[in-house]
Amino acid sequence: MKARSLLPILLLVLLTLGSASIQAAVVFYSDRASWEAAAGGGVGDIVDNMNSGTYTAAALNRGSYVITGEAYGFFPNGNPVNAIDGSGYLRLFLDATNDTTFTFASPIQAFGFDVHPDGTNLVGPTVLVAFDGSPATTYTLPTSNVNGFRGFISDTSLTSFTLTSTQDALHGVDNLEAYTAAVPEPSRALLLLLGGITCLFRRRRGVCSC
């Protein structure tokens, strides 16, 4: 088979491999230590204890990321509702029409935070998580007065995640941590295929002995 006739087949395989690589797989963690170890170890590149901050109706600019949507702002130390670690926290209200989006200045690949439900959420509502606007995974709030951790690792980078719920899901979010995305390395299959295409063209010109 001539190189020219092989080219469409090789390009089709290349596109298939490339499209498969962008399908994000998400791993969920309920323990911060396990999540940190899997995400890269040590402390994340972005850490926010959310102990203080200025709330605005338009957005909460946290420097390395911005929060928009139904965020009630940073409640002070000692507030009895949604207190996670005895310090300030971010309070969110989610339902079928209200969501909250966290948008990062640099791509990330893993993020996690502590959560505490509102006292009225006794059933543990399910929160829907979207990556860059596309549904990706879910988490369930713990029952009333129980703290928890929710961490996620994606095999593709993202710049934003959005939280929403079909139920009332008033809850506190604290101690956000994120790991920036490493530059992905091309897969071995892609490298071999690219090398094969290059070699076919070089053989046609008589400059390759592959």
Side-chain angles (χ1 to χ4, degrees):
M1 188 177 293
K2 295 182 178 180
R4 180 175 297 179
S5 60
L6 281 173
L7 182 59
I9 299 174
L10 291 172
L11 289 176
L12 179 61
V13 174
L14 180 61
L15 289 172
T16 301
L17 290 171
S19 62
S21 66
I22 64 174
Q23 302 300 317
V26 184
V27 182
F28 168 78
Y29 293 82
S30 58
D31 174 74
R32 184 180 289 270
S34 299
W35 170 80
E36 286 181 338
V43 179
D45 303 293
I46 299 170
V47 179
D48 188 350
N49 60 20
M50 298 183 173
N51 287 350
S52 62
T54 302
Y55 170 70
T56 64
L60 296 168
N61 191 334
R62 304 300 291 168
S64 54
Y65 70 101
V66 174
I67 307 169
T68 54
E70 287 298 314
Y72 283 0
F74 296 88
F75 278 60
N77 184 8
N79 190 296
V81 180
N82 295 36
I84 294 175
D85 59 4
S87 62
Y89 59 90
L90 176 71
R91 199 178 190 192
L92 307 180
F93 178 72
L94 310 176
D95 62 19
T97 59
N98 296 303
D99 58 28
T100 301
T101 297
F102 296 70
T103 303
F104 294 82
S106 300
I108 63 169
Q109 202 150 355
F111 64 91
F113 44 78
D114 295 325
V115 294
H116 192 297
D118 182 82
T120 61
N121 289 332
L122 301 177
V123 296
T126 297
V127 176
L128 313 176
V129 187
F131 293 171
D132 291 334
S134 299
T137 185
T138 65
Y139 68 83
T140 301
L141 285 174
T143 56
S144 181
N145 299 320
V146 176
N147 294 330
F149 173 78
R150 301 293 180 263
F152 308 88
I153 298 177
S154 170
D155 66 350
T156 61
S157 62
L158 58 136
T159 55
S160 72
F161 67 87
T162 300
L163 307 178
T164 190
S165 179
T166 57
Q167 307 164 279
D168 290 351
L170 179 63
H171 64 298
V173 169
D174 203 358
N175 304 315
L176 182 139
E177 186 175 1
Y179 289 80
T180 55
V183 177
E185 294 183 2
S187 70
R188 182 176 178 83
L190 284 174
L191 289 175
L192 289 173
L193 185 57
L194 288 172
I197 292 173
T198 301
C199 191
L200 282 173
F201 279 100
R202 290 174 62 86
R203 286 184 65 183
R204 292 184 63 201
R205 297 181 178 183
V207 294
C208 181
S209 58
C210 308

